[in-house]
């Protein structure tokens, strides 16, 4: 009895002590394991921030091996592979994620989205389209539709593009009207190229329905009318371009002048272009004006071509305007015109007289021994840009 009690008194504290040591050992080991996975992760992060992508990949692979259940590490690794241009490895990481049964719905969509981006970057557009298509109805829905729209435009699949854009428009994520109008314009031009006039006219009508004031459908309609010999209708369409999108008008000013002449509306057109030319000088408008001047009735007051070119150059000292002046008989010009030509040439030359760093492209008015942009020494050639 004494013996037993003695052993009990000694044994109990020892048992406690052993149990406590064992439990500490266990916790220590567990804590170490927990610490090591984030350590590798932070190491990878640190290397990433220091632009050491290769070493960062190694660190992330180590972290993934230690802690294979963490989806976030896989995402980090996969995105890193994609950014490095290692698309096959990025695809493998994201496909591996998708095969996991324990992946949450949100992470599954995220992995599918990442996979689609891998395919885009790898140039596998069919597979990208397929991957984006499976994202319909997920939190990446709009993003995936926008990506599919870009893919369809990139492969010039205008019919698919206009369908996707119409659905995006219907979902209220913004206005796609001008984009849809461009798709129908492309379809109209394609149909016209292949000789299908009915389809061309139909597509053009849809383009104008989509964006009634967009300039491109109006311009295509004008060209179609001019081609069919209907100059008055063409002139009306070009006039509409000027009314709704005046900034685009210089693109079609020449065609506007031609159809004005063919439909007998030279006087009206001359007044319109002159007004526009006074407000927004442009060499395209000057050329259109010259066409109209040539067709003006005998009683009209028409300034000579030299005077028109001089007026433009004075308002807008560009090289094109200077060229227009030099292209008219030189004896028609006074000293003021020569001063304007000199000013236009000097202005254009200023950009060419700079010095450009051969290392980074930094341009400066003066030569620098040390580049203010990249701080390299002796990277500025002694020659100015125009002499290189
Ligand atoms: Zn530089």
């Amino acid at each position: 009895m004494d013996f037993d009690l003695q052993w009990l008194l000694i044994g109990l504290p020892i048992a406690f002590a052993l149990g406590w040591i064992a439990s500490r050992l266990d916790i220590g080991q567990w804590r170490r394991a927990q610490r090591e996975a984030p350590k590798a992760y932070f190491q990878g992060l640190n290397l990433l921030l220091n632009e050491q992508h290769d070493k960062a990949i190694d660190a992330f692979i180590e972290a993934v091996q230690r802690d294979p259940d963490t989806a976030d590490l896989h995402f980090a690794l996969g995105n890193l592979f994609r950014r490095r241009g290692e698309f096959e490895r990025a695809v493998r990481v994201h496909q591996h994620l998708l095969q996991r049964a324990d992946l949450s719905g949100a992470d599954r969509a995220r992995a599918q989205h990442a996979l689609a981006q891998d395919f885009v970057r790898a140039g596998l557009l069919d597979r990208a389209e397929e991957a984006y298509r499976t994202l319909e109805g997920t939190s990446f829905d709009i993003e995936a539709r926008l990506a599919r729209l870009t893919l369809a435009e990139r492969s010039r699949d205008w019919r698919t593009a206009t369908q996707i854009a119409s659905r995006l428009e219907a979902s209220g994520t913004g206005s796609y009207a001008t984009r849809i109008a461009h798709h129908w314009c492309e379809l109209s031009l394609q149909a016209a190229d292949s000789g299908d006039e009915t389809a061309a006219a139909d597509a053009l009508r849809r383009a104008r329905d989509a964006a009634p004031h967009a300039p491109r459908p109006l311009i295509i309609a004008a060209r179609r009318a001019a081609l069919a010999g209907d100059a008055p209708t063409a002139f009306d369409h070009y006039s509409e371009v000027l009314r709704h999108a005046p900034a685009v008008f210089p693109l079609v000013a020449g065609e506007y002048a031609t159809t004005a002449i063919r439909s007998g509306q030279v006087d009206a057109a001359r007044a319109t272009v002159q007004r526009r030319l006074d407000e927004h000088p442009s060499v395209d408008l000057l050329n259109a004006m010259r066409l109209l001047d040539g067709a003006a009735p005998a009683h009209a007051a028409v300034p000579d071509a030299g005077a028109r070119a001089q007026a433009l150059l004075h308002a807008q000292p560009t090289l094109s305007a200077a060229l227009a002046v030099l292209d008219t008989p030189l004896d028609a010009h006074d000293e003021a015109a020569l001063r304007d030509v000199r000013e236009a040439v000097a202005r254009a030359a200023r950009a060419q007289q700079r010095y450009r760093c051969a290392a980074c492209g930094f341009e400066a008015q003066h030569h620098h021994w040390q580049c203010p942009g990249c701080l390299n020494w002796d990277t500025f050639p002694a020659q100015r840009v125009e002499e290189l």
Side-chain angles (χ1 to χ4, degrees):
M1 178 69 184
D2 275 357
F3 177 79
D4 279 354
L5 196 66
Q6 203 178 354
W7 270 112
L8 200 65
L9 285 173
I10 298 167
L12 214 56
I14 291 175
F16 264 119
L18 283 175
W20 182 80
I21 289 166
S23 73
R24 294 296 301 173
L25 275 177
D26 256 13
I27 286 171
Q29 211 166 21
W30 179 76
R31 277 191 184 152
R32 228 182 352 266
Q34 284 296 302
R35 255 200 314 271
E36 268 163 15
K39 197 177 140 202
Y41 175 73
F42 284 121
Q43 223 168 31
L45 205 59
N46 197 22
L47 289 163
L48 201 59
L49 292 173
N50 286 318
E51 305 268 316
Q52 289 178 283
H53 292 168
D54 288 332
K55 287 184 183 167
I57 285 176
D58 290 342
F60 279 128
I61 289 175
E62 193 189 330
V64 164
Q65 280 164 351
R66 278 180 205 278
D67 190 6
D69 297 335
T70 315
D72 280 317
L73 281 174
H74 285 84
F75 281 118
L77 194 58
N79 291 348
L80 206 52
F81 279 141
R82 187 197 315 130
R83 281 194 26 201
R84 295 275 299 152
E86 298 184 46
F87 306 122
E88 267 180 45
R89 294 176 88 181
V91 165
R92 270 211 300 280
V93 170
H94 292 130
Q95 276 175 339
H96 172 75
L97 264 175
L98 281 169
Q99 279 160 6
R100 271 170 48 174
D102 62 332
L103 204 64
S104 70
D107 275 348
R108 188 167 297 281
R110 197 173 150 203
Q112 189 71 41
H113 185 237
L115 190 62
Q117 286 175 299
D118 297 340
F119 287 141
V120 171
R121 293 287 304 278
L124 302 169
L125 301 189
D126 286 355
R127 298 185 71 180
E129 147 81 14
E130 209 179 293
Y132 277 125
R133 205 188 278 272
T134 59
L135 284 166
E136 266 182 39
T138 69
S139 57
F140 288 96
D141 188 276
I142 299 294
E143 241 175 303
R145 281 171 201 265
L146 279 171
R148 282 181 58 214
L149 177 55
T150 307
L151 285 178
E153 288 180 343
R154 212 162 117 179
S155 51
R156 305 179 68 77
D157 180 356
W158 308 116
R159 210 160 281 280
T160 305
T162 195
Q163 279 163 6
I164 299 171
S166 300
R167 281 217 298 276
L168 274 165
E169 172 107 28
S171 70
T173 48
S175 174
Y176 293 83
T178 51
R179 217 157 154 177
I180 291 169
H182 275 299
H183 299 153
W184 283 117
C185 283
E186 294 288 350
L187 284 167
S188 173
L189 293 175
Q190 266 178 7
D193 270 351
S194 59
D196 189 345
E197 280 307 311
T198 319
D202 181 57
L204 184 60
R205 188 182 48 73
R206 285 166 179 269
R208 295 186 63 189
D209 284 348
H213 296 328
R216 194 175 176 204
L218 286 172
I219 292 172
I220 295 177
R223 285 179 183 159
R224 285 175 63 80
L227 209 63
D230 185 357
T233 304
F235 180 73
D236 286 347
H237 287 319
Y238 285 128
S239 303
E240 256 187 285
V241 172
L242 180 58
R243 199 158 46 245
H244 297 303
V248 176
F249 186 66
L251 282 181
V252 293
E255 293 161 68
Y256 170 84
T258 312
T259 52
I261 294 166
R262 284 203 196 134
S263 57
Q265 314 209 47
V266 172
D267 282 340
R270 284 184 72 227
T272 305
V273 176
Q274 184 64 61
R275 240 191 339 270
R276 191 73 201 153
L277 196 53
D278 291 342
E279 288 164 15
H280 299 275
S282 139
V283 77
D284 291 313
L285 295 182
L286 176 77
N287 292 335
M289 203 63 204
R290 281 178 176 171
L291 277 178
L292 291 166
D293 281 348
H299 62 82
V302 178
D304 72 75
R308 281 213 183 279
Q310 267 183 52
L312 175 68
L313 178 61
H314 197 72
Q316 194 186 48
T318 62
L319 286 182
S320 298
L323 198 61
V325 167
L326 295 174
D327 280 345
T328 51
L330 287 178
D331 54 357
H333 301 306
D334 55 13
E335 231 173 278
L338 284 178
R339 266 203 306 279
D340 285 341
V341 169
R342 196 209 157 272
E343 171 57 27
V345 173
R347 224 175 68 134
R350 229 166 283 149
Q352 293 292 308
Q353 288 164 345
R354 298 159 79 86
Y355 294 89
R356 187 193 295 141
C357 171
C360 75
F362 186 95
E363 286 192 5
Q365 206 68 56
H366 305 285
H367 178 271
H368 290 277
W369 294 108
Q370 185 188 24
C371 173
C374 65
L375 300 181
N376 278 313
W377 294 98
D378 295 321
T379 51
F380 270 80
Q383 288 85 26
R384 296 167 189 272
V385 170
E386 65 180 338
E387 293 166 343
L388 289 172

